[in-house]
């Protein structure tokens, strides 16, 4: 049984991690590190206090804002714990690369958990595209930050990713299902005058063979929210909707089974720990980093959460 400590008992931890942990064989939540949290297990103010007191912990899952994950992950690895990282796995590529090296040195499992890759339609989409010729791909990922991320001020601070916090989910699916890698050829990033992170973005990309890929992200979507990826191929159009949980081929829906993103992640983590392996794919984070390097920034009107 893997004895797990959870760091950062916020919305995503309560909505997704706690239920998934409870239904996963081979893992047990034994401690939480989160200021002012209330839980059915011992609660500590921070990860350092948890690691000092809970000496029998086997692993930690890090659900706090990305700006805090590197130091927490390094502390856990130094203490000999396996580490499960919420997305994105770090603020920078160099952070994640340092964690990979440290996990290898410590002989511990490091898992970068891209939950959208476990969407019900993603595996079947990857299999269908594997022997098709991709002609173009389009991402439309548009949601209302005031609805989905209320009061999460860290998302606007340096390292908070802004619209790329949800947008990286689309990129994690894209890099999982396309048969070829993609590269950024240009980007436009719209940042509010009173914020440090973009509220909207357009990325122009291309596959290794030169086929166009366009992604549009917006944090101020009103009306229907959009989490769609379309891929044009020599055998018709593939469409993933609802964040990868519904799959359509030429307009006809394909049966994919029920949604179980986070339970699938914990099943994977248990397997990795038992087999002594890590799984850290940095491709989605690399695209975001390249967008900031290649992109053209625009300052837009200040953003106020109350509208």
């Amino acid at each position: 049984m893997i004895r797990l400590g959870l760091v950062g008992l916020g919305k995503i931890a309560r909505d997704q991690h706690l239920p998934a942990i409870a239904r996963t064989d081979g893992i047990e939540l034994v401690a939480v590190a989160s200021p002012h949290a209330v839980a059915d297990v011992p609660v500590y103010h921070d990860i350092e206090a948890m690691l000092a007191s809970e000496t029998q912990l086997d692993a930690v899952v890090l659900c706090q804002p990305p700006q805090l994950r590197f130091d927490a992950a390094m502390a856990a690895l130094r203490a000999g714990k396996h580490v499960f990282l919420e997305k994105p796995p770090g603020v920078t590529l160099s952070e994640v690369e340092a964690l990979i090296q440290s996990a290898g040195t410590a002989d511990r499992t490091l898992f970068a958990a891209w939950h959208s890759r476990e969407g019900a339609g993603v595996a079947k989409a990857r299999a269908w595209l594997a022997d098709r010729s991709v002609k173009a791909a389009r991402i439309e990922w548009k949601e209302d930050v005031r609805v989905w991320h209320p009061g999460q001020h860290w998302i606007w601070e340096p390292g908070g990713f802004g619209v790329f916090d949800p947008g990286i989910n689309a990129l994690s699916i894209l890099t999982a299902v396309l048969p070829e890698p993609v590269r950024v050829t240009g980007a436009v990033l719209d940042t509010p005058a009173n914020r440090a992170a973009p509220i909207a973005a357009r990325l122009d990309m291309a596959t290794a063979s030169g086929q166009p890929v366009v992604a549009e992200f917006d944090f101020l979507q009103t009306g229907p929210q959009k989490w769609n990826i379309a891929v044009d191929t020599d055998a018709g159009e593939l469409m993933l909707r609802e964040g990868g949980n519904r799959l359509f081929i030429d307009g006809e829906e394909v049966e994919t089974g029920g949604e179980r993103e986070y339970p699938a992640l914990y099943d994977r983590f248990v397997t990795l720990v038992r087999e002594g392996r890590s799984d850290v794919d940095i491709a989605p984070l690399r695209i975001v980093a390249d967008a900031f390097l290649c992109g053209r920034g625009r300052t837009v009107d200040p953003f106020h959460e109350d509208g």
Side-chain angles (χ1 to χ4, degrees), residues 3-273:
R3 293 159 296 190
L4 180 71
L6 186 149
V7 183
L9 191 59
K11 186 178 189 310
I12 191 66
R14 293 188 182 278
D15 290 352
Q16 301 292 348
H17 287 266
L18 292 184
I21 292 166
R23 69 182 67 158
T24 302
D25 292 335
I27 199 163
E28 177 187 9
L29 182 68
V30 299
V32 164
S34 189
H36 317 300
V38 176
D40 296 330
V41 295
V43 176
Y44 300 90
H45 183 269
D46 53 38
I47 188 173
E48 288 79 10
M50 183 177 73
L51 292 171
S53 298
E54 299 286 341
T55 56
Q56 299 304 307
L57 277 181
D58 299 305
V60 298
V61 54
L62 303 181
C63 303
Q64 75 274 62
Q67 299 97 321
L68 305 176
R69 285 196 200 128
F70 176 77
D71 288 341
M74 287 298 291
L77 290 170
R78 289 192 204 100
K81 314 306 178 187
H82 307 289
V83 177
F84 178 130
L85 296 165
E86 246 291 357
K87 64 83 191 170
V91 172
T92 65
L93 290 167
S94 57
E95 279 189 356
V96 182
E97 289 166 347
L99 291 176
I100 292 170
Q101 183 179 47
S102 295
T105 300
D107 195 25
R108 298 291 89 182
T109 291
L110 183 67
F111 180 38
W114 299 105
H115 68 85
S116 290
R117 286 183 173 177
E118 301 297 339
V122 174
K124 286 191 174 182
R126 177 170 58 247
W128 190 85
L129 289 169
D131 56 359
R132 266 79 180 185
S133 177
V134 172
K135 302 301 183 185
R138 303 175 301 283
I139 293 173
E140 192 177 29
W141 221 256
K142 300 181 178 182
E143 64 182 58
D144 192 338
V145 65
R146 295 159 294 198
V147 172
W148 298 99
H149 307 275
Q152 295 184 16
H153 302 296
W154 59 265
I155 211 167
W156 300 110
E157 296 170 358
F161 283 76
V163 76
F164 287 115
D165 181 74
I168 204 168
N169 290 330
L171 299 173
S172 74
I173 296 173
L174 182 80
T175 52
V177 301
L178 289 189
E180 297 181 277
V182 296
R183 61 188 179 89
V184 177
T185 59
V188 178
L189 312 180
D190 291 342
T191 302
N194 61 340
R195 296 288 187 263
I199 199 167
R202 174 190 166 98
L203 272 58
D204 292 306
M205 298 173 280
T207 66
S209 59
Q211 306 308 312
V213 180
V214 174
E216 294 185 354
F217 305 114
D218 189 356
F219 239 170
L220 292 178
Q221 175 75 5
T222 57
Q225 309 287 279
K226 299 178 179 180
W227 300 286
N228 303 323
I229 299 175
V231 184
D232 297 329
T233 78
D234 59 344
E237 183 194 63
L238 177 145
M239 173 73 76
L240 282 164
R241 296 189 181 276
E242 296 183 14
N245 284 299
R246 297 181 69 187
L247 172 63
F248 298 80
I249 305 294
D250 282 339
E252 295 292 326
E253 187 161 10
V254 177
E255 176 58 40
T256 57
E259 179 181 343
R260 59 181 311 273
E261 290 183 9
Y262 279 84
L265 291 178
Y266 276 95
D267 286 344
R268 174 71 173 158
F269 185 56
V270 169
T271 298
L272 289 170
V273 171

